[in-house]
């Protein structure tokens, strides 16, 4: 058991550390990892679907052909061969890029941190979706911005709200969005709103930070063009292989104009000097075999589709009247909105007692809203466990509703 101790340096820390706090998602992992708990909380990719023989073949090939290089330092911008491969990967999503306009990062999470580092001064205004990805709020938050929160609906960010804010005189440094099956909302920005957002931001001189980790995990429907495709000069595009290969290799990237890339590289070198040569070479080699990675991706999306369907069917069966939820066409998440009097944060302990976990909606708003909302992840548990977890959660919601009605007849 850890001993209690007084922090001798409490008066020496930088002011910005006072705003640092643990992510509610990360704090749930210890509880959610217990085998008896059905975790609908963490957005962990189902890496068990990746054939072990494929991974072994890739790793052995890297060590056999690039042994010394794979164990050595690399450049701050990332291996050129990997950047060329990532350009091919983006081309498969109809996103054009140049290896020189890209920096490889330690996951897309580092890319978010670097964007915050080079753009945000204390009290600067930035525009984010409401709700927004908690990792982005954590990354940006350490640079002490103010937030302009733009609501989402079934068609994604309501760009009209952003336009109204600009008319009022608000001038965000940038607009951050996750347009395809975003985390946590699971919704997709419509084509009309993509065009509207691109036009509005270009006219206002505001860059768009387009976080696109789930685009290749489309489970149904027709892909929509990236904002980077619609306006390459004004969009900073963030990508990752975490969802389509492995989060453990920690390979992400940022694609932007040269002036931005140069600053991102300098900021990255100050943070970690360079990424892992070994995992960059592993990633490059894995995506060199298009038949392999496309086949594995197709198998993975089939699994996610079945799990999403199991979750949506179970929610419809077990959740009480008045609950609303999104119907994602891809990605990992369903976003649930309950009647206003529910408190999903206070209710979480009771949910864990019933052996099910979720993420309260308050984690995804800078101002702590979302008390009647929750994020449910369908990516990791198998279908039968998802159905079991939703049934447990539905029973809790019914009991909470019955108690509320008994107190408020």
């Amino acid at each position: 058991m850890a001993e209690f101790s007084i922090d001798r340096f409490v008066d020496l820390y930088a002011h910005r550390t006072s705003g640092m706090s643990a992510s509610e998602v990360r704090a749930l992992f210890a509880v959610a990892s217990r085998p008896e708990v059905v975790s609908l909380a963490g957005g962990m990719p189902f890496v068990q679907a990746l054939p072990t023989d494929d991974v072994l073949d890739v790793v052995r090939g890297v060590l056999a052909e690039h042994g010394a290089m794979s164990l050595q330092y690399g450049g701050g911008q990332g291996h050129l061969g990997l950047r060329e491969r990532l350009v091919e990967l983006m081309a498969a999503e109809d996103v054009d890029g140049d290896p020189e306009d890209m920096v490889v990062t330690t996951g897309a999470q580092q890319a978010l941190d670097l964007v915050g580092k080079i753009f945000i001064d204390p009290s600067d205004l930035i525009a984010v979706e409401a709700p927004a990805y908690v990792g982005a709020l954590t990354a940006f938050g350490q640079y002490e911005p103010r937030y302009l929160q733009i609501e989402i609906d079934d068609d994604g960010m309501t760009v009209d709200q952003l336009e109204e804010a600009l008319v009022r005189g608000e001038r965000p440094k940038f607009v951050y969005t996750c347009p395809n099956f975003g985390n946590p909302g699971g919704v997709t920005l419509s084509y009309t709103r993509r065009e509207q957002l691109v036009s509005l931001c270009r006219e206002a001189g505001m860059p768009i930070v387009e976080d696109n980790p789930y685009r290749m995990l489309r489970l149904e429907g027709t892909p929509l063009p990236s904002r980077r495709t619609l306006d390459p000069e004004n969009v900073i595009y963030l990508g990752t292989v975490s969802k389509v290969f492995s989060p453990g290799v920690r390979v992400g990237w940022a694609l932007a104009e040269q002036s931005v890339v140069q600053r991102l590289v300098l900021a990255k070198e100050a943070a970690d000097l360079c990424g892992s040569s070994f995992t960059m070479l592993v990633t490059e080699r894995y995506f060199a075999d298009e038949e392999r990675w496309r086949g594995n991706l197709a198998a993975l999306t089939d699994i996610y589709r079945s799990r999403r369907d199991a979750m949506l069917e179970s929610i419809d069966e077990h959740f009480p009247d008045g609950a609303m939820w999104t119907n994602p066409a891809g990605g990992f998440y369903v976003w649930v909105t309950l009647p206003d009097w529910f408190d999903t944060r206070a209710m979480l302990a009771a949910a864990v007692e019933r052996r099910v976990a979720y993420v309260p909606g308050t984690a995804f708003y800078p101002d702590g809203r979302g008390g009647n909302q929750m994020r449910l992840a369908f990516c990791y548990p198998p279908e039968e466990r998802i159905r079991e977890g939703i049934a447990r959660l539905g029973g809790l919601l019914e009991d909470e509703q019955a108690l509320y009605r008994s107190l408020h007849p």
Side-chain angles (χ1 to χ4, degrees):
M1 181 176 178
E3 294 183 2
F4 175 78
S5 63
I6 296 174
D7 189 345
R8 296 186 297 119
F9 306 119
V10 67
D11 295 327
L12 303 179
Y13 295 126
H15 176 267
R16 62 180 172 274
T17 63
S18 63
M20 293 180 177
S21 60
S23 158
E24 291 189 40
V25 179
R26 189 181 72 186
L28 278 170
F29 279 157
V31 172
S33 62
R34 287 159 37 188
E36 71 273 17
V37 176
V38 179
S39 177
L40 307 176
M44 295 181 294
F46 189 63
V47 295
Q48 290 89 329
L50 196 63
T52 303
D53 289 345
D54 284 357
V55 178
L56 287 172
D57 175 66
V58 168
V59 171
R60 287 171 178 149
V62 166
L63 291 173
E65 296 181 22
H66 308 285
M69 182 192 300
S70 71
L71 303 177
Q72 189 54 273
Y73 289 119
Q77 193 170 356
H79 283 284
L80 176 59
L82 174 60
R83 285 183 277 131
E84 291 172 340
R85 195 69 67 200
L86 294 176
V87 165
E88 294 174 4
L89 192 64
M90 288 188 296
E93 306 175 65
D94 296 322
V95 177
D96 292 331
D98 186 305
E100 294 304 314
D101 295 334
M102 177 187 297
V103 55
V104 179
T105 57
T106 305
Q109 186 65 31
Q110 187 185 47
L112 290 167
D113 174 64
L114 298 179
V115 166
K117 185 178 291 186
I118 70 171
F119 278 105
I120 301 174
D121 286 319
S123 298
D124 277 347
L125 185 68
I126 61 173
V128 298
E129 295 164 324
Y133 169 48
V134 63
L137 297 179
T138 302
F140 299 150
Q142 63 186 317
Y143 301 108
E144 304 175 89
R146 294 178 297 118
Y147 292 97
L148 174 63
Q149 299 182 77
I150 309 298
E151 306 294 328
I152 65 170
D153 60 20
D154 287 341
D155 289 321
M157 174 184 279
T158 52
V159 184
D160 285 346
Q161 284 189 12
L162 177 61
E163 186 170 14
E164 291 166 3
L166 295 180
V167 170
R168 293 195 306 267
E170 306 278 17
R171 283 296 179 270
K173 276 285 190 77
F174 60 79
V175 179
Y176 169 76
T177 72
C178 192
N180 297 300
F181 339 117
N183 179 0
V187 298
T188 298
L189 188 66
S190 69
Y191 182 79
T192 299
R193 289 187 182 177
R194 288 172 193 243
E195 288 191 315
Q196 182 186 8
L197 180 61
V198 163
S199 176
L200 184 65
C201 289
R202 185 193 305 119
E203 183 177 345
M206 290 185 307
I208 299 171
V209 179
E210 179 175 17
D211 193 3
N212 204 9
Y214 305 102
R215 180 179 172 86
M216 299 188 81
L217 294 182
R218 175 170 286 279
L219 308 179
E220 61 188 37
T222 303
L224 296 174
S226 159
R227 269 82 54 85
R228 174 77 189 184
T229 301
L230 296 174
D231 190 1
E233 295 181 357
N234 200 47
V235 175
I236 302 167
Y237 180 95
L238 310 184
T240 179
V241 303
S242 292
K243 311 303 185 292
V244 296
F245 173 37
S246 162
V249 298
R250 307 308 300 134
V251 170
W253 69 92
L255 176 71
E257 290 296 284
Q258 261 299 304
S259 58
V260 176
V261 169
Q262 290 170 12
R263 287 167 173 78
L264 290 173
V265 172
L266 292 174
K268 177 177 170 56
E269 289 177 339
D272 66 1
L273 188 63
C274 64
S276 164
S277 293
F278 180 72
T279 58
M280 283 192 281
L281 288 166
V282 165
T283 303
E284 176 189 346
R285 192 176 185 90
Y286 177 79
F287 285 103
D289 187 336
E290 185 171 0
E291 182 178 355
R292 172 170 56 200
W293 75 257
R294 283 191 179 277
N296 291 341
L297 180 61
L300 195 59
T301 52
D302 285 344
I303 291 171
Y304 291 148
R305 186 181 299 106
S306 295
R307 294 180 178 185
R308 178 208 58 180
D309 292 347
M311 176 170 283
L312 292 175
E313 290 167 5
S314 298
I315 289 174
D316 189 52
E317 178 180 357
H318 294 290
F319 276 27
D321 293 341
M324 298 182 293
W325 55 91
T326 57
N327 188 351
F332 284 178
Y333 305 109
V334 174
W335 183 248
V336 177
T337 300
L338 302 166
D340 290 343
W341 51 264
F342 273 98
D343 186 341
T344 58
R345 192 170 187 175
M347 196 175 67
L348 182 57
V352 172
E353 285 184 0
R354 299 194 187 203
R355 305 185 309 283
V356 61
Y358 58 85
V359 183
T362 51
F364 304 97
Y365 293 91
D367 58 5
R369 285 185 288 145
N372 65 321
Q373 297 177 304
M374 65 174 70
R375 190 194 74 179
L376 302 176
F378 56 78
C379 47
Y380 196 75
E383 286 93 328
E384 63 273 15
R385 291 283 281 170
I386 289 173
R387 294 182 187 278
E388 185 179 350
I390 293 296
R392 293 173 185 174
L393 187 52
L396 174 61
L397 295 176
E398 291 282 3
D399 289 348
E400 291 285 322
Q401 183 165 270
L403 176 61
Y404 177 82
R405 287 175 175 171
S406 71
L407 298 173
H408 302 81

